[in-house]
Amino acid sequence: MQGRGILLHGNPLRPPGDAMTVRVRGGNRKVSSGPFTDSAEKMAAYGLIECAGMQEAIDIAAGHPMARAATLEVRPVWSDLPRMAA
């Protein structure tokens, strides 16, 4: 994919158990540990952001307009894996 120029960015996500789930309902923020769901739900989109830590990422997710209508899962990526050769 790199050779074809179609890989824009890729990195594995850490396990679902490392995720935090963020919802905002009625102006109230609810943060819980763990993944969004264990059901057959599918991720519709993702955004990769660089933050100082999980709390900053949660704050950013809570401010996202979709947090008022959907559920956002905040999960770190593996940052300590060696980069794969092209």
Side-chain angles (χ1 to χ4, degrees):
M1 288 189 290
Q2 285 177 327
R4 291 177 51 199
I6 61 173
L7 179 62
L8 300 178
H9 183 270
N11 203 12
L13 294 173
R14 293 185 56 89
D18 289 351
M20 298 294 285
T21 302
V22 179
R23 295 174 179 87
V24 178
R25 300 294 186 269
N28 296 316
R29 180 194 302 195
K30 180 179 178 187
V31 178
S32 53
S33 296
F36 164 59
T37 182
D38 288 328
S39 71
E41 297 282 340
K42 303 287 189 258
M43 234 186 263
Y46 79 93
L48 181 65
I49 58 176
E50 185 173 13
C51 299
M54 183 62 88
Q55 189 57 55
E56 181 183 4
I58 289 169
D59 292 342
I60 290 168
H64 193 284
M66 286 305 296
R68 293 187 296 275
T71 299
L72 305 182
E73 182 177 299
V74 178
R75 192 187 315 181
V77 295
W78 290 104
S79 60
D80 54 349
L81 293 177
R83 296 229 180 250
M84 298 176 72

